[in-house]
């Protein structure tokens, strides 16, 4: 075939090349006939792949030990019929694949029986009784689940079709596969033609069905939309859903989910229409998206920004597919260490290649590096900066969220940051208020507290003005604005990102510079956070820091509520916070707080440029269903005349070793912070007990050729580019190691 | 030499056998000259041992890269001088051992320099300025730390003494080792002759010094007390500190700590006085104590009963010694899997033997079994029952604490229980309120909340009468009473322990039977808890359940405090609990609560025999320093006329798999619980949606030959022994598997 990525209108002309129905060789999607020949010949060389196959085979054996139920569709997500249909869809695929890889006919029979049962059920179904919002399904409450089901089932059908009689094929295709593909495409145009992950699942399901049934019309609409004009469909989705750096607008949790149909459909396209060179499209966009997913994780778990289930990570089936495909395309041996960590290989040609090479010992460690992932289809709607320091599972990662809103799952958290160290989340994002698929918790759906708490600005580590969330927590407003990335730079020991935001509040703009420096400001890693707020009127500025761990000491001491707790506010998330303790910090004084997390200490310090109120809050107020986790935050509050700056540091220090009963470095090193501005430039003076005086100079101009200077206390600080670092004597080479 | 274990008065007669001073061969304590010859000849065969040595060598190299500070003793525990002296003591030992195993003279010189520095410092020291309570040290605030220091330092000295000049020996022995040994023995009789772990450290330090210096008087007083009459000293400590099952009265956290001097001194005795057969004493008591430590753990961490730092476990240096010694004595290959988990071998002959065999692949899994560890010197003061079901890291463990008070570190928690499953603590013990060695937290010492919360009864999962703790939280009273173990039985699938307690409250006695049954009452594991209270007057009975996880659902629903939290009480620990939610359960109704921990669900159910008030509480009230962790409990409250019973179940069920987005079995199976009594016997009827009606009959008589019967609802239940299990049709064989 000769589809085209760039001139979709011409594509239809090429259909003459399509093989006649029945001549397509099977299987032909993620696992091809050639893969099967290769795998069955050499499987013994990969114990890892054999274990994965064996586990799947055992699972299929257990599943089909009794005839699987095919219930009438009655339940919403998480309910019995919902989960049973999901399981059946997966079982059809797995039984088919196990048949191909073992040759044991009974597995083909298992898949056939289930497919026939669905062919019996499906034609009689109307809209699902629990239909969800605007996109109801038939087998499931929403058509999204139906697309996912078909992506699985079509792979199973593809694997067993050559074992079926003509009658069986006809029944399954005419009563199940075509009606479902039609339902998901021409009968659901609002989803199928939507540039959204639901649309991606739909086009993948329909397109893969097209390849399997040898029906080019399904493939064509999947690639170019129902009108076949390229204004919708897979190619358009690739143009708009991902940024040029492979970042998906909703954030990593949904990026993972969106990745699955993208890569499995792309692999199916590659196997059937290699001339399309789909993996080369937009400069290798799909590959970038897979790598982006890996970079958007720490300790194997995705950064929990936006609506995110915190337990999700690189071991999900989506990433198992993604990593296997990426390895097949690149041969990058670092991907094999990710694959090994996943502990299971997908049963595809790509999965086998990764398993075989990993088992030959060719894996290399995947060390993350600092990256900026631009957001927006053209990469011009802000971005997500990930600053990484050190190597291995204990390295530091600072995530700076300067992305666009991210559609309905986006949180109102412009210029928010989170921080990891030593394998732990230290400065945290709550993630989503949701217990995925746990029926007693609102049917497993998003909880009311996702709106009232998790999405609100105060649930994040960024500026809250007058107790209100960014954009008044209105999605439509949020989608009209996005941050500008001002700078991103990374060298050994010093990593810097900066961005600015207009439009989150009327009359208030803010910019933020985050520096992760190791061995420069103190002996260990230190984050410097410079948050400049420019306001046209007086206002209350809150800066929350959601920290994880046990408070060890604060200075000045907190005054704790001992006899009564009341909520910190009445709306915009504040109603969920109990005020647990507070203190006041006079202008010019330092507030510092040390906590213990894992076996390390962390000290957050902020110099009060203006009087600061420090509020220590715990989550759980106005939570009648006990839906919220018990988390905590310290909130720095300032009554500002309009223009104010929060300059703070976070130090990583010391070690608590309970097994050895030793504690070292339990106190932070930073004794004072001071900021100077001359209208254009800013200079932050940081006094560390370990390193003495250090200075961070900011020009806010990324041009490395431009020179800047400030004169403070009779001393001249001169640098070029966005920032400079100085010690008592002069510029500090930023290329430090520790 | 011919010391005696049984007739200490005769031991002095045997001293003639002692070699003349200077003729002792070195080293001779934990690492002997023969060990050194063996290790250096064959070390290449054990990569594990070589890694341990290499790590120690690297640590010693780093430590002595600059001359270690030997500061004036000024600080309390956790402070600089305290920690530095601790580090120096360890460094002397490690440098000496590395010298022996590498032959590199510079390590001997490192140890020598430090010892000479201490010989210079020590004679001028008086009582420590921060002296602790009744047992001040000189180098440290308490003499305990000084004993520990000497246990380390004497091993270093033993390792290098043959490299010293006569003058150096004389300076170190006369100005440091003898004065310190004298200070710890004759000058501190209240500690040295005390039957307590402080005494054990002291006799170990002094005795090991005696062996090294070839001074039998030190050895003799260490073995038999200052009066050498056997009323004190190591042998007497072995008689009284450990129960016949090797249980140490203070519980596992301190058992670990007490184990160290016991086993290192015992190994030194064995190497120098093998005729004493110290490891055979009291039927192999020391070996039982080592095994007891292993059995008192889950997931490698000790059960956190009594004052306990929760992070402590089998990877501590005490257990590294203990396991190596136990392996040398028994050749039990299961111990090698414990040793491998420790990731480091002690640099002794025993450590080498364990490493060598483990590296040969001879380790076998250490699967815990249900055990009863009797408490008290004669094993007659109650005991700790550990019920285990299943195998591997996800097995269930139920810890039933029916022990005696456990001296000053004991908690007021008679018949308390904790429960583990799936690698997690599910029904919890708070442990100690202490941040060990973290200076800003009360100098690393026990916090005030250890008395006001952690020790109080309400902080545990057992009966609280009228809001007061057992024994009025008075240690002296607590030490006069102990529980009686009524029954302990374990077979595959059914594990039972029962005990009774008189004296915790005036006029109130209670007994408790805990059953851990798998595949009998429901498809999975279920705990049944029958707590019978007999009171001579009306009272308020509280039964707290400190659970870990996120509440998913309760029935009836809880009414949550949304706008204000106030403490649940004003004293005895209740003042630290915020009342977060509550509900009322009418007599005859079931209260059930499901929570999620890790990827499993747990449902606690209790039938209200009388009206029940359910209080859901969170820790943190009246905690001005934020010293308490944020934990939670549900408290079942009953206003009783005197005699009442709490019958409850805890089910383990379902699975939440976020990676696979699947949830199964999120609801418990138990629908009703009912209890019948006929004065002698009790019958508990449990109705499970999975298994139908099941009955647990209790006679409270362990005699397996005695037959019992009850007639309920026209049906006859007949069984023999302590308990019987029945289904709809008749007796259930308890030998179930799942």
């Amino acid at each position: 075939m000769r589809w085209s990525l760039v001139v979709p209108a011409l594509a239809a002309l090429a259909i003459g090349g399509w093989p006649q129905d029945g001549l397509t060789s099977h299987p032909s999607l993620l696992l091809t006939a050639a893969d099967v020949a290769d795998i069955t010949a050499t499987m013994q060389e990969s114990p890892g792949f054999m274990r994965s196959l064996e586990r799947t085979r055992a699972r299929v054996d257990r599943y089909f030990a009794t005839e699987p139920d095919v219930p009438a569709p009655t339940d919403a997500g998480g309910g019995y019929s919902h989960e049973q249909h999901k399981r059946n869809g997966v079982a059809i695929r797995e039984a088919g694949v196990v048949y191909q890889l073992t040759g044991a006919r009974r597995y083909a029979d298992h898949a056939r029986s289930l497919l026939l049962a669905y062919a019996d059920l499906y034609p009689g179904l109307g809209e699902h009784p629990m239909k969800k919002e605007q996109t109801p399904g038939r087998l499931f409450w929403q058509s999204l689940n139906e697309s996912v089901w078909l992506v699985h089932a079509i792979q199973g059908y593809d694997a067993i079709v050559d074992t079926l009689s003509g009658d069986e094929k006809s029944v399954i295709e005419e009563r199940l596969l075509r009606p479902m593909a039609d339902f998901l495409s021409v009968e659901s145009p609002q989803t199928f033609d939507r540039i959204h992950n639901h649309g991606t699942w739909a086009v993948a399901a329909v397109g893969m069905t097209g390849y399997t049934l040898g029906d080019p019309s399904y493939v064509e609409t999947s690639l170019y939309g129902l009108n076949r004009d390229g204004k919708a469909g897979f190619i358009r989705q690739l143009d708009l859903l991902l940024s040029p750096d492979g970042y998906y607008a909703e954030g990593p949790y949904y990026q993972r989910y969106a990745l699955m149909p993208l890569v499995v459909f792309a692999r199916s396209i590659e196997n059937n229409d290699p001339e399309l060179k789909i993996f080369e499209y937009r400069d290798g966009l799909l590959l970038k998206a897979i790598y982006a997913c890996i970079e958007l994780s720490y300790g194997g778990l995705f950064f929990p920004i936006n609506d995110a289930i915190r337990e999700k990570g690189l071991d999900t089936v989506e990433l198992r597919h993604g990593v296997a495909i990426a390895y097949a395309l690149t041969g990058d041996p670092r991907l094999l260490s990710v694959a090994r960590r996943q502990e299971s290989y997908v049963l595809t040609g790509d999965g086998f290649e990764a398993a075989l090479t990993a088992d030959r010992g060719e894996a290399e460690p995947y060390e993350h590096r600092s990256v900026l992932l631009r957001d927006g289809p053209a990469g011009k709607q802000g971005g997500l900066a990930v600053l990484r320091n050190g190597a291995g599972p204990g390295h530091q990662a600072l995530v700076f969220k300067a992305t666009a809103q991210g559609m309905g799952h986006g949180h109102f958290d412009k210029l928010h940051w989170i921080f990891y160290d030593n394998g732990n989340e230290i400065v945290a994002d709550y993630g989503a208020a949701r217990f995925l698929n746990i029926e007693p918790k609102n049917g497993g759906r998003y909880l009311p507290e996702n709106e009232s708490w998790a999405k609100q600005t105060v649930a994040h580590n960024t500026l809250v003005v007058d107790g209100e969330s960014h954009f008044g927590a209105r999605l439509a407003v949020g989608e009209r604005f996005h941050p500008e990335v001002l700078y991103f730079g990374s060298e050994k020991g010093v990593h810097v990102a900066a961005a600015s935001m207009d439009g989150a509040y009327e009359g208030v703009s803010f910019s933020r510079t985050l520096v992760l420096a190791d061995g420069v400001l103190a002996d260990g890693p230190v984050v410097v956070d410079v948050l400049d707020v420019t306001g046209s009127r007086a206002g209350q500025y809150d800066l929350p820091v959601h920290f994880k761990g046990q408070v060890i000491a604060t200075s000045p001491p907190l005054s704790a509520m001992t006899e009564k707790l009341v909520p910190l506010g009445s709306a915009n998330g504040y109603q969920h916070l109990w005020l647990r303790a507070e203190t006041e910090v006079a202008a010019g004084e330092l507030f510092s707080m040390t906590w213990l997390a894992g076996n390390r200490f962390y000290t957050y310090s902020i110099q009060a440029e203006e009087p600061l109120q420090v509020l220590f809050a715990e989550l759980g107020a106005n939570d009648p269903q006990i839906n919220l986790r018990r988390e905590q935050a310290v909130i720095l509050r300032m009554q500002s005349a309009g223009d104010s700056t929060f300059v703070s540091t976070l130090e990583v220090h010391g070690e608590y070793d309970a097994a050895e009963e030793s504690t070292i470095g339990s106190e932070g090193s930073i004794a004072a912070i001071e900021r100077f501005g001359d209208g254009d430039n800013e200079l932050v003076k940081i006094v560390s007990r370990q390193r003495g005086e250090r200075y961070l100079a900011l020009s806010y101009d990324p041009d490395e050729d431009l020179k800047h200077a400030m004169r403070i206390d009779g001393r001249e600080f001169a640098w070029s580019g966005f920032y400079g670092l100085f010690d008592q004597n002069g510029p500090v080479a930023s290329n430090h190691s520790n």
Side-chain angles (χ1 to χ4, degrees), chain A:
Chain A
M1 284 159 290
R2 297 266 175 260
W3 304 112
S4 161
L5 293 171
V6 285
V7 195
L10 299 179
L13 300 177
I15 298 185
W18 190 273
Q20 295 306 302
D21 193 359
L23 299 183
T24 312
S25 126
H26 295 284
S28 69
L29 298 174
L30 295 170
L31 179 73
T32 65
D35 292 332
V36 171
D38 184 29
I39 293 171
T40 49
T42 54
M43 189 160 28
Q44 297 71 12
E45 295 174 31
S46 175
F49 190 84
M50 288 176 71
R51 271 197 304 275
S52 299
L53 173 57
E54 189 44 44
R55 269 201 298 268
T56 305
R57 179 188 178 125
R59 189 163 57 230
V60 171
D61 283 341
R62 276 197 307 277
Y63 198 78
F64 289 94
T66 56
E67 198 180 339
D69 188 19
V70 179
T74 52
D75 300 328
Y80 170 72
S81 74
H82 180 94
E83 294 300 320
Q84 180 64 15
H85 289 307
K86 276 170 63 180
R87 283 189 286 267
N88 283 343
V90 171
I92 291 168
R93 174 177 57 76
E94 291 193 334
V97 168
V98 171
Y99 162 67
Q100 284 289 340
L101 296 183
T102 65
R105 178 64 182 239
R106 70 176 179 282
Y107 296 106
D109 295 341
H110 289 327
R112 186 194 55 186
S113 307
L114 259 186
L115 284 162
L116 286 169
Y118 277 96
D120 194 44
L121 173 74
Y122 198 75
L125 297 180
E127 251 182 22
H128 192 280
M130 302 290 284
K131 66 175 180 173
K132 191 181 177 188
E133 297 153 12
Q134 304 311 311
T135 58
R138 291 176 175 174
L139 213 44
F140 295 94
W141 66 330
Q142 60 174 341
S143 66
L144 168 63
N145 300 105
E146 208 130 323
S147 299
V148 175
W149 191 92
L150 185 53
V151 165
H152 285 290
I154 195 62
Q155 294 179 63
Y157 182 74
D158 181 41
I160 67 155
V161 61
D162 289 344
T163 71
L164 300 177
S165 71
D167 278 357
E168 288 166 339
K169 273 198 274 195
S170 159
V171 166
I172 294 170
E173 294 190 7
E174 300 309 321
R175 294 176 58 87
L176 175 65
L177 299 176
R178 284 183 182 275
M180 195 180 265
D182 291 340
F183 169 66
L184 293 173
S185 54
V186 290
E187 297 168 34
S188 305
Q190 74 290 2
T191 299
F192 191 82
D193 275 357
R194 193 172 166 208
I195 308 300
H196 183 275
N197 81 66
H198 290 203
T200 309
W201 279 101
V203 303
V206 172
M208 290 165 73
T209 302
Y211 282 126
T212 302
L213 305 193
D215 184 333
S217 70
Y218 286 135
V219 175
E220 200 179 344
T221 53
S222 291
L223 289 175
Y224 307 118
L226 291 172
N227 292 335
R228 310 189 189 191
D229 58 3
K231 291 185 180 163
F234 190 63
I235 307 303
R236 189 69 179 152
Q237 289 169 351
L238 289 183
D239 286 339
L240 295 180
L241 279 177
L242 295 168
S243 85
D245 296 331
Y247 181 78
Y248 177 70
E250 294 186 293
Y253 173 72
Y254 279 100
Q255 170 143 3
R256 161 204 61 80
Y257 191 62
L259 192 69
M260 183 77 159
L262 290 174
V263 298
V264 303
F265 189 30
R267 171 46 93 187
S268 302
I269 295 170
E270 177 76 9
N271 285 344
N272 288 276
D273 283 314
E275 315 83 356
L276 271 184
K277 298 189 190 307
I278 191 72
F279 284 111
E280 295 175 24
Y281 188 62
R282 283 190 79 192
D283 201 16
L285 183 70
L286 285 168
L287 202 52
K288 288 180 182 175
I290 296 168
Y291 274 101
C293 267
I294 298 172
E295 294 297 348
L296 292 168
S297 71
Y298 185 91
L301 297 180
F302 294 121
F303 303 145
I305 54 175
N306 289 339
D307 282 350
I309 302 298
R310 301 170 53 84
E311 294 86 357
K312 286 275 187 183
L314 301 180
D315 62 344
T316 46
V317 64
E318 296 89 349
L319 268 289
R320 295 207 293 274
H321 273 290
V323 167
I325 289 172
Y327 179 71
L329 295 171
T330 63
D332 178 353
R334 301 177 308 150
L335 294 171
L336 297 177
S337 67
V338 180
R340 289 181 74 119
R341 219 191 134 119
Q342 292 168 339
E343 290 184 357
S344 177
Y345 295 97
V346 287
L347 302 179
T348 65
D350 297 329
F352 182 65
E353 187 177 339
L356 194 65
T357 332
D359 283 343
R360 285 189 191 131
E362 297 184 18
E364 291 180 9
Y366 194 103
E367 293 295 354
H368 295 280
R369 276 168 286 197
S370 295
V371 292
L372 171 66
L373 299 173
R374 292 167 294 163
D375 196 4
K380 295 184 174 171
Q381 299 179 13
L384 189 89
V386 187
L387 309 182
R388 307 256 190 183
N389 183 67
H395 78 274
Q396 290 93 39
L398 188 161
V399 183
F400 183 32
K401 185 167 184 274
T403 60
Q405 186 59 32
M407 301 187 264
H409 290 299
H411 287 192
F412 300 98
D413 59 353
K414 300 293 130 187
L415 311 195
H416 164 53
W417 68 297
I418 59 179
F419 184 69
Y420 296 88
D421 175 60
N422 196 28
N424 299 311
E425 194 182 13
I426 303 302
V427 176
D429 188 312
Y430 187 85
R434 181 185 189 186
F435 292 91
L436 184 67
N437 285 347
I438 297 183
E439 176 67 27
K441 285 293 195 193
N442 196 26
R445 299 184 289 275
Y446 286 99
L447 296 162
E449 290 76 11
N450 197 56
E451 297 295 321
S452 65
W453 165 253
K455 280 187 174 176
Q456 299 290 334
T457 306
V458 72
H460 302 86
N461 308 301
T462 188
L463 179 73
V464 187
V465 176
D466 291 334
E468 291 171 4
S469 287
H470 297 171
F471 314 115
R474 284 167 297 171
L475 172 61
V477 182
E479 293 203 319
R480 285 170 31 214
F481 299 92
H482 60 77
E484 299 294 334
V485 174
L486 301 177
Y487 183 74
F488 173 79
S490 171
E491 44 193 315
K492 190 165 164 51
V494 181
H495 314 269
V496 182
S500 65
M501 184 67 208
D502 295 332
Y505 295 103
E506 258 188 63
V508 178
S509 297
F510 54 107
S511 74
R512 193 169 207 172
T513 302
L514 285 159
V515 178
L516 171 58
D518 189 5
V520 178
L521 304 168
D523 292 350
V526 177
V527 175
V528 184
D529 175 14
V530 182
L531 176 64
D532 275 320
V533 192
T534 311
S536 59
R537 56 181 168 79
Q540 172 183 288
Y541 294 163
D542 281 358
L543 180 59
V545 181
H546 296 265
F547 66 100
K548 294 225 173 203
Q550 173 75 34
V551 174
I552 295 298
T554 73
S555 169
L558 293 173
S559 167
M561 313 300 148
T562 55
E563 289 290 343
K564 191 174 75 166
L565 293 188
V566 295
L568 190 53
S570 59
N572 306 324
Y574 286 81
Q575 75 275 24
H576 290 301
L577 292 167
W578 299 114
L579 175 59
R580 177 79 172 78
E582 62 184 331
T583 191
E584 308 274 343
V585 185
E589 299 287 310
L590 191 77
F591 172 74
S592 69
M593 177 173 74
T594 298
W595 69 91
L596 174 66
N599 62 348
R600 288 243 182 113
F601 296 92
Y602 301 88
T603 296
Y604 179 83
S605 304
I606 184 167
Q607 193 95 353
E609 292 198 8
E610 303 165 53
L612 265 186
Q613 194 181 4
V614 178
L615 307 162
F616 178 46
E618 288 181 1
L619 196 56
N622 286 292
D623 177 19
Q625 309 293 321
I626 312 181
N627 282 338
L628 293 168
R629 300 194 313 272
R630 287 172 304 143
E631 304 287 357
Q632 62 192 352
V634 63
I635 298 175
L636 294 317
R637 174 168 289 180
M638 196 188 277
Q639 306 298 335
S640 171
D643 296 351
S644 287
T645 301
F646 295 87
V647 185
S648 56
T649 58
L650 176 65
E651 297 171 74
V652 175
H653 57 96
E655 187 184 348
Y656 170 64
D657 186 336
E660 299 291 344
E661 303 213 346
S662 77
T663 299
I664 53 172
S666 65
E667 290 180 30
S669 156
I670 287 171
I673 302 172
E674 201 172 353
R675 188 183 63 92
F676 307 89
D678 68 1
D680 293 323
N681 302 310
E682 257 179 324
L683 186 77
V684 175
K685 175 180 174 181
I686 294 168
V687 183
S688 142
R689 279 181 278 266
Q690 289 165 345
R691 296 293 177 103
E693 294 177 9
R694 292 289 186 276
Y695 301 85
L696 169 68
L698 297 171
S699 72
Y700 292 95
D701 190 325
D703 188 339
E704 291 294 339
D705 295 331
L706 277 183
K707 294 194 188 325
H708 311 278
M710 283 181 83
R711 198 164 183 88
I712 301 294
D713 292 345
R715 180 174 161 192
E716 172 94 359
F717 296 88
W719 74 98
S720 56
F722 192 85
Y723 76 95
L725 276 170
F726 306 86
D727 66 11
Q728 289 96 325
N729 309 310
V732 183
S734 54
N735 204 348
H736 289 262
S737 65
N738 63 327

